[in-house]
Amino acid sequence: MSDITVIGGIAADIEGHPYEELKKGESNPGKISVAYGGVGRNITENLARLQAEVTFVSAAGQDFAGRMAVQELAALGADVEHVHLLEGENTAMYLSILNSVGDMEMALCNMDVLERISGHIIDRALPRMRASKIVALDANLTEDVQVYVMEQLAEVPLFLDPVSAPKAERSKNHIGRFHTIKPNVGEAEILSGLEISSEKDLAEAGRYFLSQGVRRVFITLNARGVYYKDASTEGILRPGTVELISATGAGDAFSAAILDSFVRGLSVEATARYGMAASGVAMASKTAVNPQMSRETLEAKLKLLAQEDK
């Protein structure tokens, strides 16, 4: 049985970049790249690279993209028995067309299959989830499915990654059911109903979440670090030197680090430091998950951050 179960989205990201000026209505020579993403999938891959025992619960299409995404996770050691490849559905996809300078000209997304992560899929994975030390939800799950998971796993600590401010609305009315949450500032505003524009506001939001029943709060502040709080400890960690190639996936790496830290019994402050290190490793790669992510890489990053703090 896995220590950690992640329930959430899996997607294929397709990006087109023309060699010259983009001409609409024509076939433009250029470079096309395909990568696998989705918040839940990215968290799972990070955990697998950290050699954590992790199960992933999701839904994708019975198509090439879905099969390959599942095979990739399985090859890394993740348990993908409960990723359901559904006939007649397309794997969630995000297609973007860039212009010659790298700015997005247009995009098309199809995330319909994520609405098929249903109570039936949850039921089939319940024995695995009830044996987990913590279960993570990303807010691609509908509100009804989130509530169903809460009802079925009343004795299991739950973790929330809100995904985005609009999707955070799905969890707002049930925030106290989560043991640990990791919103950014915009998502924290939605979840708390508070405006956050200062450190004082962060502290007020932290108190609000704990008053609702949340045990641990991590509010990421983009380039300004992270605010963390539990019943006895509160603080803000500032980032050290960061090699920024791409910020995509940094939040997913932070979430993975929080889950791994919970299983290892780390304090809220140590968890925040571990998350910051994971984000730093993620940002040093052009892919959503850095293939160099490992426990050894994170330990080296932690030592570097500790030296910079002196």
Side-chain angles (χ1 to χ4, degrees), residues 139-150:
N140 283 303
L141 303 176
T142 65
E143 182 175 357
D144 287 347
V145 170
Q146 290 187 46
V147 171
Y148 187 69
V149 171
M150 294 169 191

Side-chain angles (χ1 to χ4, degrees), residues 228-301:
Y228 61 90
K229 181 175 176 61
D230 67 4
S232 60
T233 308
E234 180 178 36
I236 294 177
L237 284 181
R238 301 300 182 185
T241 302
V242 175
E243 178 189 0
L244 178 57
I245 294 178
S246 172
T248 301
D252 303 334
F254 202 120
S255 290
I258 291 172
L259 294 164
D260 190 44
S261 296
F262 179 87
V263 171
R264 295 169 65 196
L266 300 186
S267 69
V268 66
E269 181 178 355
T271 298
R273 293 187 183 280
Y274 198 53
M276 289 286 287
S279 292
V281 172
M283 289 188 284
S285 171
K286 65 180 180 180
T287 55
V289 178
N290 190 336
Q292 301 302 314
M293 180 68 73
S294 68
R295 201 174 299 282
E296 293 74 21
T297 304
L298 282 192
E299 293 298 333
K301 186 69 174 177

Side-chain angles (χ1 to χ4, degrees), residues 113-267:
V113 70
L114 301 183
E115 303 292 319
R116 297 287 304 277
I117 303 175
S118 62
H120 175 65
I121 286 177
I122 299 302
D123 284 342
R124 295 180 65 175
L126 277 176
R128 191 71 48 87
M129 290 190 282
R130 285 174 175 151
S132 296
K133 294 179 180 177
I134 190 167
V135 173
L137 286 70
D138 85 33
N140 283 303
L141 303 176
T142 65
E143 182 175 357
D144 287 347
V145 170
Q146 290 187 46
V147 171
Y148 187 69
V149 171
M150 294 169 191
E151 292 171 346
Q152 297 302 313
L153 301 178
E155 304 303 319
V156 179
L158 300 179
F159 167 83
L160 173 69
D161 188 312
V163 177
S164 68
K167 290 185 177 178
E169 289 279 2
R170 300 177 176 184
S171 311
K172 179 178 181 177
N173 294 329
H174 317 283
I175 196 63
R177 303 289 292 275
F178 293 98
H179 178 282
T180 303
I181 62 173
K182 192 230 71 187
N184 61 26
V185 170
E187 294 159 357
E189 288 182 330
I190 295 295
L191 292 170
S192 66
L194 302 171
E195 182 179 345
I196 302 174
S197 59
S198 67
E199 291 186 11
K200 181 180 178 182
D201 294 338
L202 283 169
E204 184 178 355
R207 288 192 296 271
Y208 170 80
F209 289 129
L210 262 64
S211 74
Q212 297 302 299
V214 178
R215 303 289 186 84
R216 286 187 170 186
V217 178
F218 300 90
I219 302 177
T220 55
L221 312 174
N222 296 323
R224 295 181 292 118
V226 62
Y227 165 85
Y228 61 90
K229 181 175 176 61
D230 67 4
S232 60
T233 308
E234 180 178 36
I236 294 177
L237 284 181
R238 301 300 182 185
T241 302
V242 175
E243 178 189 0
L244 178 57
I245 294 178
S246 172
T248 301
D252 303 334
F254 202 120
S255 290
I258 291 172
L259 294 164
D260 190 44
S261 296
F262 179 87
V263 171
R264 295 169 65 196
L266 300 186
S267 69

Side-chain angles (χ1 to χ4, degrees), residues 61-123:
Q62 181 63 272
D63 51 24
F64 178 79
R67 292 194 300 271
M68 290 304 296
V70 170
Q71 288 177 23
E72 187 178 88
L73 287 177
L76 291 170
D79 180 348
V80 294
E81 177 185 351
H82 294 286
V83 179
H84 296 262
L85 300 180
L86 306 178
E87 292 284 354
E89 295 284 350
N90 296 319
T91 296
M93 290 190 182
Y94 183 85
L95 169 64
S96 60
I97 304 296
L98 310 182
N99 58 29
S100 58
V101 297
D103 293 328
M104 188 180 71
E105 285 287 323
M106 64 185 71
L108 184 66
C109 65
N110 177 1
M111 301 294 170
D112 295 350
V113 70
L114 301 183
E115 303 292 319
R116 297 287 304 277
I117 303 175
S118 62
H120 175 65
I121 286 177
I122 299 302
D123 284 342

